[in-house]
Amino acid sequence: MGRFGLKINKLMQALESQGEIYMLDRRQVWSDKLHKKVQSLTLSKSVPTEEYNANNPKPKSTQNERVKVVELTTFSEVEIVLALAAKWKQVTRNGRRVKSDTC
């Protein structure tokens, strides 16, 4: 984990307490530009299958209750922190959950 690993985990835990489930995948990929292995970070959100099928033209027929949807792929932990902080601001206002009909 890098310098921002704790902040990422805390933001994901805070969002999970509000009902928003996010997952972070770390993978090593080869960079032709840098000629070495680099770490790729993928931020995904877990959404109910019914919600995914209602919002997408290609519905998924799966036995699982939830579907993993990729939100962001980057090489920077800072971008992940900023994306999670923006999601936190959308979900809460002054630490309280915002009703979806007021936004």
Side-chain angles (χ1 to χ4, degrees), residues 1-5 8 24-27 29 34 38-43 72-84:
M1 245 187 226
R3 299 173 63 186
F4 296 98
I8 291 170
L24 185 67
D25 295 328
R26 297 172 185 267
R27 296 176 188 225
V29 295
L34 299 174
V38 294
Q39 190 173 43
S40 171
L41 304 166
T42 303
L43 183 66
L72 174 68
T73 301
T74 183
F75 298 107
S76 172
E77 287 185 334
V78 174
E79 288 183 28
I80 299 290
V81 170
L82 292 174
L84 288 171

Side-chain angles (χ1 to χ4, degrees), residues 2-58:
R3 299 173 63 186
F4 296 98
L6 288 173
K7 289 175 180 36
I8 291 170
N9 287 339
K10 286 195 180 221
L11 281 167
M12 288 194 315
Q13 286 177 351
L15 285 164
E16 187 173 354
S17 72
Q18 297 295 327
E20 302 285 328
I21 301 172
Y22 285 91
M23 298 161 282
L24 185 67
D25 295 328
R26 297 172 185 267
R27 296 176 188 225
Q28 286 187 344
V29 295
W30 181 261
S31 171
D32 290 329
K33 183 178 179 181
L34 299 174
H35 302 290
K36 65 178 184 177
K37 289 189 281 187
V38 294
Q39 190 173 43
S40 171
L41 304 166
T42 303
L43 183 66
S44 303
K45 182 177 181 182
S46 178
V47 296
T49 306
E50 298 85 26
E51 180 182 328
Y52 178 84
N53 289 341
N55 295 333
N56 290 303
K58 292 184 179 179

